[in-house]
Amino acid sequence: MTATDHASSVDAVIVGAGIAGLYQLHRLRGLGMSTRVFETGDDVGGTWYWNRYPGARCDVESMSYSYSFSPELEQEWEWTERYPAQPEILRYVSHVADRFDLRRDVTFRTRVVSAAFDEPAGRWRVVTDTGETVDARFLIMATGCLSRAKDIDIDGIATFGGTTLHTSRWPHDGVDLTGQRVAVIGTGSSAVQSIPIIAEQAAELTVFQRTPAYSLAARNRPLEPDEVADMKAGYRAWREAQRTSGFGVPVEPATQSALEVGAEERTARYEAGWRRGTLVSILGGYTDTLTDAAANETAAEFVRQKIRDRVDDPGTAELLCPRSYPFGTKRPCLDTGYYETFNLPHVSLVDLRRTPLVELTATGVRTSERTHDVDVVVFATGFDAMTGALEAVDIRGRDGVLLREKWAEGPRSYLGLAVAGFPNLFTVTGPSSPSVLSNMIVSIEQHVDWITDCLASLRDRGVGTIEASTAAEDEWVAHVAEVGGATLYPTADSWYMGSNVPGKPRVFMAYIGGVGAYRELCDAVAADGYRGFRLDEVPG
Ligand code: N01
């Protein structure tokens, strides 16, 4: 226990003890700030605490998807696989919490339900579901981009007599599906990873697909001691390259349009990308894959051919081939044996575009064609991404304005870090920052470092409140839309666009200007005396 454990007045409240919240706590401790962290789960880990479905694994390589702030931590932690599985990531986060003694400032099993800015005092009043009220000068939301499951918009769930599971809330003790007839609804990353493992156990597996994914073979494997040693020897340069890259993953920058080379040369390049087995290895092959529909189609068709090569039945292969949106504009997946699973005799695919899902019945899943009787339904139906976890908290800024209402037409934020009318509120990897379009840990560290430097600077200058101006926010929102509008992203119905959640405004919610360029912009804002922010002295 420390002095801040039960303090009801602190310098900062952090919401969430995932990768972002823990690092923010560590940095604020470095400033000597009293801090309380509230976390709904009963331990650290955030996304990786909750998403325990079979096969859950990161699709960024482990040695890149890890904190860079401590060279000692980097050297002592041993990743075992190229792409880390959820239990290994959770062990890592837990190790970090132990190593930096972070748990003592975290209140677990506690959800922040509301936060209101007290204007005269210049402080946030934060209320939890355990009835505690804490007041804090700064409120830092580290609630994650994909942490709030979207409400399941399927009728009849209460009628179903079997077991229902959601990939993002998988029981901690696991589930034995041996001998069961299982339905999986959805074919995004969570489904693509879990389906091969579920198929190993289930007696029958039926996959209900509305929109096929573009999935690439992950080529996961154990890490070799030599490559780990090489990476560790060159870690500083690698981290620097991550920070200045486009997606937080260093790649050789493309120099040519996909359309200015011949088909043979293009296929050879895609093939090389395919063999590397990373999310960006095909997408990053040419300059215009994400901006020109014809260029994109060359990559999309390459990936479709790989799907056909992996699936025995030509009809099933065609159903699994995405056609309704450009490659990369919904987040692509990395898989281990996903398409091959459909070659198994007990696995079948239902095309919900042809026979829409009507409802769950007492015995199974009813489509417009028939009822599929099952024992278990797995919802892999995704998240209310980017804004969902922030809007779930009743956050009220100046004049009692509710964040959720301010964002009714889509999120408005300055740099994805701060919101006009909400002084001293920071959103780590908030909407309109690179966040989900990057290696999340690179973007988390960049935001946390920026926020920490900002708070240190405010303290040095005797500043009590910092608030984004409406003009700076408007300009940033327009810039994010302009940069996004120059790409193919807005042409897809994706969770990037909010269009997976009925009624959610259709807005491209991430900044595609690139991790390196964005960092420079944020640093320039700070160097310019926090341009676009209003700074006021401590009230009273
Ligand atoms: O969710 P999703 P996810 N009836 O939204 C379908 C990250 N992640 O949990 O596309 C029928 O991608 C929906 O169909 P449609 C990663 O960023 C990372 O899989 O809306 N189907 C879709 O197929 C990822 O992108 C990792 O037509 C319904 C699926 O459900 C993000 O999290 C692993 C439906 C949802 O796919 C989200 O992934 C896992 C309905 N009513 C996740 N509602 C790694 O690091 C939804 N669907 C590897």
Side-chain angles (χ1 to χ4, degrees), residues 5-6 16-18 22 25 36-46 49-50 94 97 102-111 128-130 132:
D5 265 346
H6 295 290
L22 290 178
L25 168 63
R36 291 205 45 194
V37 181
F38 290 102
E39 165 58 51
T40 310
D42 58 16
D43 204 354
V44 297
Y49 171 90
W50 295 108
S94 184
L102 298 173
R103 283 191 180 84
R104 67 184 157 88
D105 287 328
V106 184
T107 305
F108 292 104
R109 292 173 286 278
T110 305
R111 179 184 292 280
T128 73
D129 64 352
T130 56
E132 190 177 356

PDB file of all heavy atoms in Angstrom, residues 5-6 16-18 22 25 36-46 49-50 94 97 102-111 128-130 132:
ATOM      1  N   ASP A   5      -2.830   4.870  -2.572  1.00  0.00           N
ATOM      2  CA  ASP A   5      -3.723   3.741  -2.808  1.00  0.00           C
ATOM      3  C   ASP A   5      -5.186   4.095  -2.646  1.00  0.00           C
ATOM      4  O   ASP A   5      -6.021   3.724  -3.455  1.00  0.00           O
ATOM      5  CB  ASP A   5      -3.394   2.593  -1.856  1.00  0.00           C
ATOM      6  CG  ASP A   5      -2.463   1.612  -2.537  1.00  0.00           C
ATOM      7  OD1 ASP A   5      -2.335   1.715  -3.764  1.00  0.00           O
ATOM      8  OD2 ASP A   5      -1.864   0.788  -1.850  1.00  0.00           O
ATOM      9  N   HIS A   6      -5.504   4.785  -1.586  1.00  0.00           N
ATOM     10  CA  HIS A   6      -6.908   5.087  -1.364  1.00  0.00           C
ATOM     11  C   HIS A   6      -7.159   6.588  -1.349  1.00  0.00           C
ATOM     12  O   HIS A   6      -8.170   7.041  -0.820  1.00  0.00           O
ATOM     13  CB  HIS A   6      -7.386   4.438  -0.066  1.00  0.00           C
ATOM     14  CG  HIS A   6      -7.336   2.942  -0.159  1.00  0.00           C
ATOM     15  ND1 HIS A   6      -8.201   2.241  -0.963  1.00  0.00           N
ATOM     16  CD2 HIS A   6      -6.501   2.050   0.394  1.00  0.00           C
ATOM     17  CE1 HIS A   6      -7.905   0.951  -0.888  1.00  0.00           C
ATOM     18  NE2 HIS A   6      -6.879   0.806  -0.073  1.00  0.00           N
ATOM     19  N   GLY A  16      -7.997   2.383 -17.081  1.00  0.00           N
ATOM     20  CA  GLY A  16      -7.521   1.227 -17.849  1.00  0.00           C
ATOM     21  C   GLY A  16      -6.105   0.836 -17.459  1.00  0.00           C
ATOM     22  O   GLY A  16      -5.229   1.695 -17.350  1.00  0.00           O
ATOM     23  N   ALA A  17      -5.913  -0.455 -17.192  1.00  0.00           N
ATOM     24  CA  ALA A  17      -4.573  -0.963 -16.849  1.00  0.00           C
ATOM     25  C   ALA A  17      -4.086  -1.941 -17.912  1.00  0.00           C
ATOM     26  O   ALA A  17      -3.580  -3.021 -17.620  1.00  0.00           O
ATOM     27  CB  ALA A  17      -4.588  -1.615 -15.462  1.00  0.00           C
ATOM     28  N   GLY A  18      -4.278  -1.534 -19.160  1.00  0.00           N
ATOM     29  CA  GLY A  18      -3.699  -2.295 -20.263  1.00  0.00           C
ATOM     30  C   GLY A  18      -2.305  -1.756 -20.547  1.00  0.00           C
ATOM     31  O   GLY A  18      -1.685  -1.086 -19.710  1.00  0.00           O
ATOM     32  N   LEU A  22      -0.718   1.205 -18.029  1.00  0.00           N
ATOM     33  CA  LEU A  22       0.437   0.843 -17.186  1.00  0.00           C
ATOM     34  C   LEU A  22       1.636   1.730 -17.495  1.00  0.00           C
ATOM     35  O   LEU A  22       2.335   2.196 -16.588  1.00  0.00           O
ATOM     36  CB  LEU A  22       0.808  -0.632 -17.391  1.00  0.00           C
ATOM     37  CG  LEU A  22      -0.188  -1.649 -16.841  1.00  0.00           C
ATOM     38  CD1 LEU A  22       0.283  -3.065 -17.148  1.00  0.00           C
ATOM     39  CD2 LEU A  22      -0.407  -1.474 -15.342  1.00  0.00           C
ATOM     40  N   LEU A  25       1.078   5.169 -16.093  1.00  0.00           N
ATOM     41  CA  LEU A  25       1.304   5.186 -14.644  1.00  0.00           C
ATOM     42  C   LEU A  25       2.810   5.268 -14.347  1.00  0.00           C
ATOM     43  O   LEU A  25       3.252   6.073 -13.510  1.00  0.00           O
ATOM     44  CB  LEU A  25       0.706   3.917 -14.011  1.00  0.00           C
ATOM     45  CG  LEU A  25       1.092   3.638 -12.558  1.00  0.00           C
ATOM     46  CD1 LEU A  25       0.592   4.750 -11.640  1.00  0.00           C
ATOM     47  CD2 LEU A  25       0.528   2.278 -12.103  1.00  0.00           C
ATOM     48  N   ARG A  36      -3.983   7.395  -9.591  1.00  0.00           N
ATOM     49  CA  ARG A  36      -4.768   6.179  -9.383  1.00  0.00           C
ATOM     50  C   ARG A  36      -5.222   5.648 -10.729  1.00  0.00           C
ATOM     51  O   ARG A  36      -5.628   6.419 -11.606  1.00  0.00           O
ATOM     52  CB  ARG A  36      -5.975   6.455  -8.491  1.00  0.00           C
ATOM     53  CG  ARG A  36      -5.515   6.758  -7.086  1.00  0.00           C
ATOM     54  CD  ARG A  36      -6.491   6.482  -6.013  1.00  0.00           C
ATOM     55  NE  ARG A  36      -7.198   5.228  -6.094  1.00  0.00           N
ATOM     56  CZ  ARG A  36      -8.283   4.981  -5.349  1.00  0.00           C
ATOM     57  NH1 ARG A  36      -8.741   5.904  -4.514  1.00  0.00           N
ATOM     58  NH2 ARG A  36      -8.900   3.819  -5.437  1.00  0.00           N
ATOM     59  N   VAL A  37      -5.130   4.356 -10.849  1.00  0.00           N
ATOM     60  CA  VAL A  37      -5.573   3.690 -12.077  1.00  0.00           C
ATOM     61  C   VAL A  37      -6.787   2.839 -11.720  1.00  0.00           C
ATOM     62  O   VAL A  37      -6.767   2.126 -10.708  1.00  0.00           O
ATOM     63  CB  VAL A  37      -4.465   2.778 -12.653  1.00  0.00           C
ATOM     64  CG1 VAL A  37      -4.930   2.122 -13.948  1.00  0.00           C
ATOM     65  CG2 VAL A  37      -3.172   3.548 -12.866  1.00  0.00           C
ATOM     66  N   PHE A  38      -7.835   2.926 -12.529  1.00  0.00           N
ATOM     67  CA  PHE A  38      -9.001   2.066 -12.322  1.00  0.00           C
ATOM     68  C   PHE A  38      -9.094   1.087 -13.486  1.00  0.00           C
ATOM     69  O   PHE A  38      -8.916   1.466 -14.650  1.00  0.00           O
ATOM     70  CB  PHE A  38     -10.277   2.905 -12.221  1.00  0.00           C
ATOM     71  CG  PHE A  38     -10.323   3.704 -10.949  1.00  0.00           C
ATOM     72  CD1 PHE A  38     -10.025   5.057 -10.951  1.00  0.00           C
ATOM     73  CD2 PHE A  38     -10.631   3.089  -9.735  1.00  0.00           C
ATOM     74  CE1 PHE A  38     -10.045   5.792  -9.773  1.00  0.00           C
ATOM     75  CE2 PHE A  38     -10.650   3.814  -8.547  1.00  0.00           C
ATOM     76  CZ  PHE A  38     -10.353   5.162  -8.566  1.00  0.00           C
ATOM     77  N   GLU A  39      -9.373  -0.150 -13.141  1.00  0.00           N
ATOM     78  CA  GLU A  39      -9.409  -1.215 -14.147  1.00  0.00           C
ATOM     79  C   GLU A  39     -10.579  -2.148 -13.852  1.00  0.00           C
ATOM     80  O   GLU A  39     -10.736  -2.619 -12.732  1.00  0.00           O
ATOM     81  CB  GLU A  39      -8.071  -1.982 -14.100  1.00  0.00           C
ATOM     82  CG  GLU A  39      -8.065  -3.317 -14.810  1.00  0.00           C
ATOM     83  CD  GLU A  39      -8.431  -3.229 -16.290  1.00  0.00           C
ATOM     84  OE1 GLU A  39      -7.838  -2.415 -17.015  1.00  0.00           O
ATOM     85  OE2 GLU A  39      -9.336  -3.987 -16.708  1.00  0.00           O
ATOM     86  N   THR A  40     -11.377  -2.407 -14.886  1.00  0.00           N
ATOM     87  CA  THR A  40     -12.548  -3.275 -14.720  1.00  0.00           C
ATOM     88  C   THR A  40     -12.152  -4.724 -14.445  1.00  0.00           C
ATOM     89  O   THR A  40     -12.788  -5.417 -13.652  1.00  0.00           O
ATOM     90  CB  THR A  40     -13.421  -3.237 -15.996  1.00  0.00           C
ATOM     91  OG1 THR A  40     -13.642  -1.885 -16.344  1.00  0.00           O
ATOM     92  CG2 THR A  40     -14.741  -3.929 -15.776  1.00  0.00           C
ATOM     93  N   GLY A  41     -11.115  -5.185 -15.107  1.00  0.00           N
ATOM     94  CA  GLY A  41     -10.690  -6.577 -14.946  1.00  0.00           C
ATOM     95  C   GLY A  41     -10.056  -6.812 -13.588  1.00  0.00           C
ATOM     96  O   GLY A  41      -9.797  -5.869 -12.836  1.00  0.00           O
ATOM     97  N   ASP A  42      -9.788  -8.094 -13.270  1.00  0.00           N
ATOM     98  CA  ASP A  42      -9.165  -8.318 -11.967  1.00  0.00           C
ATOM     99  C   ASP A  42      -7.653  -8.437 -12.068  1.00  0.00           C
ATOM    100  O   ASP A  42      -6.992  -8.826 -11.101  1.00  0.00           O
ATOM    101  CB  ASP A  42      -9.808  -9.486 -11.202  1.00  0.00           C
ATOM    102  CG  ASP A  42      -9.756 -10.778 -11.962  1.00  0.00           C
ATOM    103  OD1 ASP A  42      -8.964 -10.849 -12.919  1.00  0.00           O
ATOM    104  OD2 ASP A  42     -10.493 -11.697 -11.606  1.00  0.00           O
ATOM    105  N   ASP A  43      -7.114  -8.079 -13.214  1.00  0.00           N
ATOM    106  CA  ASP A  43      -5.661  -7.980 -13.326  1.00  0.00           C
ATOM    107  C   ASP A  43      -5.316  -7.090 -14.528  1.00  0.00           C
ATOM    108  O   ASP A  43      -6.207  -6.645 -15.252  1.00  0.00           O
ATOM    109  CB  ASP A  43      -5.020  -9.375 -13.466  1.00  0.00           C
ATOM    110  CG  ASP A  43      -3.556  -9.388 -13.015  1.00  0.00           C
ATOM    111  OD1 ASP A  43      -3.013  -8.296 -12.707  1.00  0.00           O
ATOM    112  OD2 ASP A  43      -2.962 -10.471 -12.979  1.00  0.00           O
ATOM    113  N   VAL A  44      -4.018  -6.891 -14.726  1.00  0.00           N
ATOM    114  CA  VAL A  44      -3.557  -6.022 -15.810  1.00  0.00           C
ATOM    115  C   VAL A  44      -3.708  -6.730 -17.164  1.00  0.00           C
ATOM    116  O   VAL A  44      -3.904  -7.935 -17.224  1.00  0.00           O
ATOM    117  CB  VAL A  44      -2.073  -5.639 -15.589  1.00  0.00           C
ATOM    118  CG1 VAL A  44      -1.903  -4.843 -14.314  1.00  0.00           C
ATOM    119  CG2 VAL A  44      -1.182  -6.891 -15.575  1.00  0.00           C
ATOM    120  N   GLY A  45      -3.562  -5.966 -18.243  1.00  0.00           N
ATOM    121  CA  GLY A  45      -3.514  -6.582 -19.572  1.00  0.00           C
ATOM    122  C   GLY A  45      -4.473  -6.001 -20.592  1.00  0.00           C
ATOM    123  O   GLY A  45      -4.258  -6.114 -21.791  1.00  0.00           O
ATOM    124  N   GLY A  46      -5.584  -5.414 -20.125  1.00  0.00           N
ATOM    125  CA  GLY A  46      -6.503  -4.764 -21.074  1.00  0.00           C
ATOM    126  C   GLY A  46      -6.984  -5.732 -22.148  1.00  0.00           C
ATOM    127  O   GLY A  46      -7.489  -6.822 -21.848  1.00  0.00           O
ATOM    128  N   TYR A  49      -6.034  -9.116 -21.628  1.00  0.00           N
ATOM    129  CA  TYR A  49      -6.668  -9.746 -20.478  1.00  0.00           C
ATOM    130  C   TYR A  49      -8.003 -10.358 -20.908  1.00  0.00           C
ATOM    131  O   TYR A  49      -8.347 -11.472 -20.522  1.00  0.00           O
ATOM    132  CB  TYR A  49      -6.890  -8.701 -19.377  1.00  0.00           C
ATOM    133  CG  TYR A  49      -7.732  -9.197 -18.227  1.00  0.00           C
ATOM    134  CD1 TYR A  49      -7.137  -9.819 -17.126  1.00  0.00           C
ATOM    135  CD2 TYR A  49      -9.119  -9.060 -18.248  1.00  0.00           C
ATOM    136  CE1 TYR A  49      -7.917 -10.284 -16.078  1.00  0.00           C
ATOM    137  CE2 TYR A  49      -9.897  -9.526 -17.200  1.00  0.00           C
ATOM    138  CZ  TYR A  49      -9.297 -10.133 -16.124  1.00  0.00           C
ATOM    139  OH  TYR A  49     -10.056 -10.606 -15.094  1.00  0.00           O
ATOM    140  N   TRP A  50      -8.736  -9.626 -21.759  1.00  0.00           N
ATOM    141  CA  TRP A  50     -10.094 -10.047 -22.101  1.00  0.00           C
ATOM    142  C   TRP A  50     -10.153 -11.026 -23.263  1.00  0.00           C
ATOM    143  O   TRP A  50     -10.977 -11.940 -23.266  1.00  0.00           O
ATOM    144  CB  TRP A  50     -10.955  -8.818 -22.448  1.00  0.00           C
ATOM    145  CG  TRP A  50     -11.156  -7.896 -21.281  1.00  0.00           C
ATOM    146  CD1 TRP A  50     -10.581  -6.665 -21.109  1.00  0.00           C
ATOM    147  CD2 TRP A  50     -11.970  -8.116 -20.128  1.00  0.00           C
ATOM    148  NE1 TRP A  50     -10.991  -6.118 -19.916  1.00  0.00           N
ATOM    149  CE2 TRP A  50     -11.852  -6.984 -19.285  1.00  0.00           C
ATOM    150  CE3 TRP A  50     -12.797  -9.162 -19.722  1.00  0.00           C
ATOM    151  CZ2 TRP A  50     -12.521  -6.877 -18.076  1.00  0.00           C
ATOM    152  CZ3 TRP A  50     -13.466  -9.056 -18.509  1.00  0.00           C
ATOM    153  CH2 TRP A  50     -13.322  -7.924 -17.705  1.00  0.00           C
ATOM    154  N   SER A  94       2.135  -8.789 -17.410  1.00  0.00           N
ATOM    155  CA  SER A  94       2.170  -9.061 -15.974  1.00  0.00           C
ATOM    156  C   SER A  94       3.601  -8.890 -15.437  1.00  0.00           C
ATOM    157  O   SER A  94       3.815  -8.328 -14.358  1.00  0.00           O
ATOM    158  CB  SER A  94       1.668 -10.489 -15.733  1.00  0.00           C
ATOM    159  OG  SER A  94       1.596 -10.742 -14.373  1.00  0.00           O
ATOM    160  N   ALA A  97       4.274  -5.270 -15.073  1.00  0.00           N
ATOM    161  CA  ALA A  97       3.599  -4.744 -13.872  1.00  0.00           C
ATOM    162  C   ALA A  97       4.408  -5.085 -12.618  1.00  0.00           C
ATOM    163  O   ALA A  97       4.566  -4.245 -11.726  1.00  0.00           O
ATOM    164  CB  ALA A  97       2.191  -5.303 -13.772  1.00  0.00           C
ATOM    165  N   LEU A 102       3.839  -1.882 -10.520  1.00  0.00           N
ATOM    166  CA  LEU A 102       2.752  -1.006 -10.941  1.00  0.00           C
ATOM    167  C   LEU A 102       1.412  -1.328 -10.279  1.00  0.00           C
ATOM    168  O   LEU A 102       0.572  -0.447 -10.110  1.00  0.00           O
ATOM    169  CB  LEU A 102       2.599  -1.065 -12.470  1.00  0.00           C
ATOM    170  CG  LEU A 102       3.851  -0.582 -13.234  1.00  0.00           C
ATOM    171  CD1 LEU A 102       3.694  -0.830 -14.735  1.00  0.00           C
ATOM    172  CD2 LEU A 102       4.111   0.895 -12.968  1.00  0.00           C
ATOM    173  N   ARG A 103       1.200  -2.580  -9.899  1.00  0.00           N
ATOM    174  CA  ARG A 103      -0.144  -2.971  -9.435  1.00  0.00           C
ATOM    175  C   ARG A 103      -0.594  -2.184  -8.200  1.00  0.00           C
ATOM    176  O   ARG A 103      -1.771  -2.015  -7.963  1.00  0.00           O
ATOM    177  CB  ARG A 103      -0.188  -4.467  -9.128  1.00  0.00           C
ATOM    178  CG  ARG A 103      -0.279  -5.345 -10.358  1.00  0.00           C
ATOM    179  CD  ARG A 103      -0.577  -6.786  -9.977  1.00  0.00           C
ATOM    180  NE  ARG A 103      -0.667  -7.655 -11.142  1.00  0.00           N
ATOM    181  CZ  ARG A 103       0.375  -8.222 -11.745  1.00  0.00           C
ATOM    182  NH1 ARG A 103       1.600  -8.008 -11.281  1.00  0.00           N
ATOM    183  NH2 ARG A 103       0.218  -8.996 -12.794  1.00  0.00           N
ATOM    184  N   ARG A 104       0.352  -1.708  -7.397  1.00  0.00           N
ATOM    185  CA  ARG A 104      -0.068  -1.089  -6.135  1.00  0.00           C
ATOM    186  C   ARG A 104      -0.859   0.213  -6.331  1.00  0.00           C
ATOM    187  O   ARG A 104      -1.522   0.661  -5.401  1.00  0.00           O
ATOM    188  CB  ARG A 104       1.147  -0.848  -5.217  1.00  0.00           C
ATOM    189  CG  ARG A 104       2.131   0.182  -5.699  1.00  0.00           C
ATOM    190  CD  ARG A 104       3.329   0.265  -4.753  1.00  0.00           C
ATOM    191  NE  ARG A 104       4.512   0.809  -5.384  1.00  0.00           N
ATOM    192  CZ  ARG A 104       4.807   2.099  -5.450  1.00  0.00           C
ATOM    193  NH1 ARG A 104       3.990   2.992  -4.934  1.00  0.00           N
ATOM    194  NH2 ARG A 104       5.919   2.500  -6.045  1.00  0.00           N
ATOM    195  N   ASP A 105      -0.799   0.801  -7.512  1.00  0.00           N
ATOM    196  CA  ASP A 105      -1.602   1.999  -7.755  1.00  0.00           C
ATOM    197  C   ASP A 105      -2.836   1.712  -8.622  1.00  0.00           C
ATOM    198  O   ASP A 105      -3.485   2.646  -9.105  1.00  0.00           O
ATOM    199  CB  ASP A 105      -0.762   3.092  -8.419  1.00  0.00           C
ATOM    200  CG  ASP A 105       0.201   3.710  -7.415  1.00  0.00           C
ATOM    201  OD1 ASP A 105      -0.142   3.776  -6.221  1.00  0.00           O
ATOM    202  OD2 ASP A 105       1.317   4.102  -7.822  1.00  0.00           O
ATOM    203  N   VAL A 106      -3.096   0.427  -8.849  1.00  0.00           N
ATOM    204  CA  VAL A 106      -4.259   0.066  -9.676  1.00  0.00           C
ATOM    205  C   VAL A 106      -5.358  -0.483  -8.784  1.00  0.00           C
ATOM    206  O   VAL A 106      -5.120  -1.359  -7.959  1.00  0.00           O
ATOM    207  CB  VAL A 106      -3.885  -1.007 -10.733  1.00  0.00           C
ATOM    208  CG1 VAL A 106      -5.091  -1.281 -11.643  1.00  0.00           C
ATOM    209  CG2 VAL A 106      -2.657  -0.596 -11.555  1.00  0.00           C
ATOM    210  N   THR A 107      -6.559   0.039  -8.963  1.00  0.00           N
ATOM    211  CA  THR A 107      -7.731  -0.508  -8.280  1.00  0.00           C
ATOM    212  C   THR A 107      -8.457  -1.389  -9.290  1.00  0.00           C
ATOM    213  O   THR A 107      -9.001  -0.882 -10.281  1.00  0.00           O
ATOM    214  CB  THR A 107      -8.651   0.629  -7.782  1.00  0.00           C
ATOM    215  OG1 THR A 107      -7.860   1.506  -6.971  1.00  0.00           O
ATOM    216  CG2 THR A 107      -9.802   0.076  -6.962  1.00  0.00           C
ATOM    217  N   PHE A 108      -8.413  -2.700  -9.052  1.00  0.00           N
ATOM    218  CA  PHE A 108      -9.004  -3.653  -9.994  1.00  0.00           C
ATOM    219  C   PHE A 108     -10.500  -3.842  -9.710  1.00  0.00           C
ATOM    220  O   PHE A 108     -11.019  -3.364  -8.696  1.00  0.00           O
ATOM    221  CB  PHE A 108      -8.275  -4.998  -9.900  1.00  0.00           C
ATOM    222  CG  PHE A 108      -6.855  -4.919 -10.399  1.00  0.00           C
ATOM    223  CD1 PHE A 108      -5.784  -4.895  -9.514  1.00  0.00           C
ATOM    224  CD2 PHE A 108      -6.582  -4.860 -11.762  1.00  0.00           C
ATOM    225  CE1 PHE A 108      -4.477  -4.814  -9.969  1.00  0.00           C
ATOM    226  CE2 PHE A 108      -5.275  -4.785 -12.225  1.00  0.00           C
ATOM    227  CZ  PHE A 108      -4.220  -4.754 -11.319  1.00  0.00           C
ATOM    228  N   ARG A 109     -11.150  -4.561 -10.601  1.00  0.00           N
ATOM    229  CA  ARG A 109     -12.590  -4.872 -10.470  1.00  0.00           C
ATOM    230  C   ARG A 109     -13.414  -3.603 -10.258  1.00  0.00           C
ATOM    231  O   ARG A 109     -14.422  -3.613  -9.557  1.00  0.00           O
ATOM    232  CB  ARG A 109     -12.832  -5.872  -9.324  1.00  0.00           C
ATOM    233  CG  ARG A 109     -12.285  -7.266  -9.598  1.00  0.00           C
ATOM    234  CD  ARG A 109     -12.389  -8.176  -8.398  1.00  0.00           C
ATOM    235  NE  ARG A 109     -11.402  -7.818  -7.396  1.00  0.00           N
ATOM    236  CZ  ARG A 109     -10.121  -8.202  -7.427  1.00  0.00           C
ATOM    237  NH1 ARG A 109      -9.678  -8.954  -8.415  1.00  0.00           N
ATOM    238  NH2 ARG A 109      -9.264  -7.832  -6.497  1.00  0.00           N
ATOM    239  N   THR A 110     -12.987  -2.535 -10.871  1.00  0.00           N
ATOM    240  CA  THR A 110     -13.660  -1.252 -10.657  1.00  0.00           C
ATOM    241  C   THR A 110     -13.771  -0.512 -11.993  1.00  0.00           C
ATOM    242  O   THR A 110     -12.761  -0.274 -12.659  1.00  0.00           O
ATOM    243  CB  THR A 110     -12.853  -0.391  -9.657  1.00  0.00           C
ATOM    244  OG1 THR A 110     -12.671  -1.153  -8.466  1.00  0.00           O
ATOM    245  CG2 THR A 110     -13.572   0.899  -9.332  1.00  0.00           C
ATOM    246  N   ARG A 111     -14.988  -0.178 -12.337  1.00  0.00           N
ATOM    247  CA  ARG A 111     -15.230   0.519 -13.607  1.00  0.00           C
ATOM    248  C   ARG A 111     -15.487   1.992 -13.324  1.00  0.00           C
ATOM    249  O   ARG A 111     -16.241   2.326 -12.402  1.00  0.00           O
ATOM    250  CB  ARG A 111     -16.468  -0.100 -14.269  1.00  0.00           C
ATOM    251  CG  ARG A 111     -16.883   0.515 -15.584  1.00  0.00           C
ATOM    252  CD  ARG A 111     -18.170  -0.130 -16.080  1.00  0.00           C
ATOM    253  NE  ARG A 111     -17.992  -1.517 -16.456  1.00  0.00           N
ATOM    254  CZ  ARG A 111     -17.476  -1.913 -17.629  1.00  0.00           C
ATOM    255  NH1 ARG A 111     -17.127  -1.017 -18.535  1.00  0.00           N
ATOM    256  NH2 ARG A 111     -17.334  -3.179 -17.892  1.00  0.00           N
ATOM    257  N   THR A 128     -16.778   5.801  -9.606  1.00  0.00           N
ATOM    258  CA  THR A 128     -16.665   4.403 -10.027  1.00  0.00           C
ATOM    259  C   THR A 128     -17.929   3.620  -9.693  1.00  0.00           C
ATOM    260  O   THR A 128     -18.771   4.085  -8.919  1.00  0.00           O
ATOM    261  CB  THR A 128     -15.479   3.714  -9.310  1.00  0.00           C
ATOM    262  OG1 THR A 128     -15.859   3.509  -7.941  1.00  0.00           O
ATOM    263  CG2 THR A 128     -14.214   4.537  -9.376  1.00  0.00           C
ATOM    264  N   ASP A 129     -17.999   2.413 -10.247  1.00  0.00           N
ATOM    265  CA  ASP A 129     -19.183   1.583  -9.972  1.00  0.00           C
ATOM    266  C   ASP A 129     -19.135   0.956  -8.581  1.00  0.00           C
ATOM    267  O   ASP A 129     -20.082   0.280  -8.174  1.00  0.00           O
ATOM    268  CB  ASP A 129     -19.359   0.491 -11.042  1.00  0.00           C
ATOM    269  CG  ASP A 129     -18.218  -0.508 -11.070  1.00  0.00           C
ATOM    270  OD1 ASP A 129     -17.196  -0.296 -10.371  1.00  0.00           O
ATOM    271  OD2 ASP A 129     -18.337  -1.515 -11.809  1.00  0.00           O
ATOM    272  N   THR A 130     -18.054   1.176  -7.851  1.00  0.00           N
ATOM    273  CA  THR A 130     -18.036   0.709  -6.460  1.00  0.00           C
ATOM    274  C   THR A 130     -18.427   1.850  -5.522  1.00  0.00           C
ATOM    275  O   THR A 130     -18.343   1.729  -4.297  1.00  0.00           O
ATOM    276  CB  THR A 130     -16.642   0.186  -6.072  1.00  0.00           C
ATOM    277  OG1 THR A 130     -15.681   1.234  -6.304  1.00  0.00           O
ATOM    278  CG2 THR A 130     -16.248  -1.035  -6.872  1.00  0.00           C
ATOM    279  N   GLU A 132     -17.015   4.862  -5.338  1.00  0.00           N
ATOM    280  CA  GLU A 132     -15.952   5.752  -4.898  1.00  0.00           C
ATOM    281  C   GLU A 132     -15.907   7.009  -5.775  1.00  0.00           C
ATOM    282  O   GLU A 132     -16.153   6.940  -6.986  1.00  0.00           O
ATOM    283  CB  GLU A 132     -14.615   4.999  -5.005  1.00  0.00           C
ATOM    284  CG  GLU A 132     -13.494   5.746  -4.346  1.00  0.00           C
ATOM    285  CD  GLU A 132     -12.169   4.997  -4.367  1.00  0.00           C
ATOM    286  OE1 GLU A 132     -12.116   3.847  -4.834  1.00  0.00           O
ATOM    287  OE2 GLU A 132     -11.183   5.605  -3.924  1.00  0.00           O
TER     288      GLU A 132
END
